[in-house]
Amino acid sequence: RENLKSILRENNIPFTPHPTNQIVHLENDIKIYGIFNRERGGIFNYVDSSCIVFDDQCSVYHGNDHFVDIQHLAEVIKACGISEIDYAMFGFSYVNWYPFCLEGLSDDNMSKEAYEKSKINLDFGVEFINTVDAKFYIPNGASLVHYSNWDSLVNTYSASPKDFMDYYSKNYKVKENVVALLSGDSIYDGKIVREKSLKSTYEPSVIQDGINCFNKKRKTHFDSLKIKVYDTNEIEKLINHRAKNASKEYTTDQDLFIESYDGKIKVHIKIKNGEPSAKVVDSFEYSEKYHRLSFIDKESSDLYFSNLYDLEALTGGRRISLERYPDPLEYCKKTWYFLHSL
């Protein structure tokens, strides 16, 4: 994540990169072993990595959102000289833009596709529990809520720790050492301290109140930025620059379209013989097969066309809408990686 390093440097925040796939000594006999996602086991997620932090008294596996190759994790645990992880935090939730941001799908088809994707990740969590030796298993993270309504499809299928425990207890024999923790909760030496219950935290009214509060803060923050959207010449120059710097590995001949929230800005990106060219146009002339990306709100549109955010960041926030023609479910890895770089 070179962009993270750039942000740290720009803000004079000191940091020390550590090598992966080896034991690194930190301080006070504390050691860390980093497991880099893209080197081995990039399942479901090609960004997040994970690590084991340990000393002679305690060991913690922090899975982050890295759905690690479990056999590889067993090899790492052995390399660290650990017979059993004390606290193993693992991912389980499907948090993605797909299929929620796709156009052309009925609610039933979208719900079916989302269920299948969510179930794969939930089953990974169960496999982790049944395969990795640990004193305590903690379904980690994914306490995320999209800023749409609490019962929207994206919120329904982005599983929370409570959703995981419900799924686990409904379909499998539950181990007593599986503990879902929330913000403010703690566990140490076998003692669990809870600030709130899972049930009360995920009451629909509580979630909706949180969404409403977040939306107000988001609007206030956006208004304070006083964003200046680029003119058409600047937009064309910007997207051409990004497109030409995208990896050639991810380019395939086709037509791509990007449109602002209000439809006033339209960019046609044509890739021919592996070379992309972007042009601002008055209207789109669609080909037999294309991808068209637009924004679901004014804020995300302005953030993109002012060069403050790229598409990867806005996609991560589910703030885009994607039309794939003729088949909305057809996944093209090269196309998606290329779009992400714009």
Side-chain angles (χ1 to χ4, degrees):
R1 287 184 165 177
E2 292 302 321
N3 59 331
L4 173 59
K5 293 180 182 178
S6 298
I7 292 169
L8 293 173
R9 292 188 185 104
E10 288 168 6
N11 289 277
N12 297 316
I13 299 173
F15 66 98
T16 303
H18 292 298
T20 58
N21 292 333
Q22 67 183 64
I23 296 174
V24 176
H25 293 261
L26 300 178
E27 56 185 38
N28 299 326
D29 296 324
I30 298 173
K31 291 159 276 191
I32 188 169
Y33 192 113
I35 307 170
F36 188 46
N37 191 324
R38 300 188 194 194
E39 291 174 359
R40 176 84 175 268
I43 306 171
F44 315 133
N45 174 349
Y46 62 90
V47 176
D48 294 285
S49 299
S50 54
C51 66
I52 296 176
V53 183
F54 63 103
D55 62 11
D56 294 337
Q57 305 298 319
C58 184
S59 59
V60 177
Y61 171 69
H62 196 313
N64 199 8
D65 284 327
H66 179 194
F67 291 81
V68 66
D69 179 306
I70 292 179
Q71 178 57 42
H72 180 47
L73 178 59
E75 295 168 6
V76 172
I77 293 172
K78 185 177 180 181
C80 292
I82 300 170
S83 59
E84 181 183 55
I85 293 288
D86 289 303
Y87 303 97
M89 297 183 283
F90 60 91
F92 60 87
S93 187
Y94 180 73
V95 181
N96 206 298
W97 67 272
Y98 177 93
F100 313 107
C101 298
L102 282 179
E103 294 183 27
L105 282 184
S106 67
D107 285 349
D108 286 346
N109 285 337
M110 188 176 290
S111 183
K112 181 180 178 182
E113 190 74 11
Y115 171 79
E116 292 298 328
K117 293 294 185 184
S118 178
K119 186 176 183 300
I120 290 171
N121 286 33
L122 290 166
D123 285 337
F124 171 88
V126 176
E127 181 189 4
F128 186 99
I129 292 169
N130 292 336
T131 307
V132 177
D133 291 327
K135 291 181 180 177
F136 290 94
Y137 301 91
I138 303 170
N140 178 65
S143 296
L144 301 175
V145 179
H146 190 256
Y147 62 92
S148 52
N149 286 337
W150 73 269
D151 58 351
S152 66
L153 284 177
V154 65
N155 280 326
T156 298
Y157 288 103
S158 297
S160 68
K162 178 181 183 300
D163 293 324
F164 176 80
M165 294 303 293
D166 289 345
Y167 177 82
Y168 180 40
S169 61
K170 181 179 178 181
N171 296 285
Y172 301 91
K173 184 177 179 180
V174 176
K175 293 183 178 180
E176 293 183 357
N177 57 345
V178 180
V179 182
L181 300 179
L182 301 174
S183 177
D185 294 350
S186 63
I187 178 171
Y188 182 71
D189 199 23
K191 299 181 179 66
I192 302 167
V193 178
R194 292 198 180 280
E195 191 170 279
K196 297 178 182 178
S197 71
L198 283 174
K199 183 177 179 181
S200 65
T201 300
Y202 290 100
E203 285 289 338
S205 60
V206 174
I207 296 175
Q208 191 61 58
D209 286 346
I211 292 171
N212 295 341
C213 180
F214 172 77
N215 277 333
K216 289 178 181 178
K217 290 181 179 179
R218 182 172 64 88
K219 184 70 167 61
T220 301
H221 173 68
F222 176 76
D223 291 342
S224 71
L225 294 177
K226 297 179 180 178
I227 293 171
K228 180 183 180 299
V229 174
Y230 281 14
D231 64 32
T232 54
N233 289 331
E234 292 173 316
I235 289 170
E236 193 171 286
K237 184 178 179 180
L238 168 67
I239 297 180
N240 267 307
H241 174 74
R242 288 180 174 178
K244 291 185 184 301
N245 281 281
S247 171
K248 298 296 181 186
E249 179 185 351
Y250 299 142
T251 54
T252 182
D253 288 6
Q254 61 185 295
D255 290 295
L256 307 173
F257 302 96
I258 301 177
E259 186 174 25
S260 63
Y261 173 65
D262 58 10
K264 292 181 179 179
I265 303 172
K266 300 178 187 292
V267 184
H268 177 196
I269 303 162
K270 189 170 189 65
I271 304 175
K272 189 172 182 179
N273 298 325
E275 291 296 328
S277 177
K279 187 175 182 179
V280 175
V281 296
D282 294 328
S283 61
F284 292 144
E285 295 182 9
Y286 295 114
S287 52
E288 293 181 356
K289 187 175 183 179
Y290 63 84
H291 286 61
R292 183 183 63 83
L293 185 146
S294 56
F295 300 92
I296 66 170
D297 54 42
K298 184 180 186 303
E299 292 98 322
S300 57
S301 183
D302 287 358
L303 286 167
Y304 179 71
F305 288 112
S306 61
N307 195 26
L308 291 176
Y309 277 44
D310 59 17
L311 288 182
E312 183 170 16
L314 295 167
T315 300
R318 325 297 182 264
R319 301 178 74 173
I320 58 99
S321 178
L322 181 66
E323 179 187 19
R324 291 168 168 162
Y325 188 82
D327 182 2
L329 292 178
E330 182 181 356
Y331 176 62
C332 179
K333 185 176 182 179
K334 288 185 176 182
T335 300
W336 190 238
Y337 282 5
F338 178 78
L339 273 171
H340 258 203
S341 66
L342 299 181

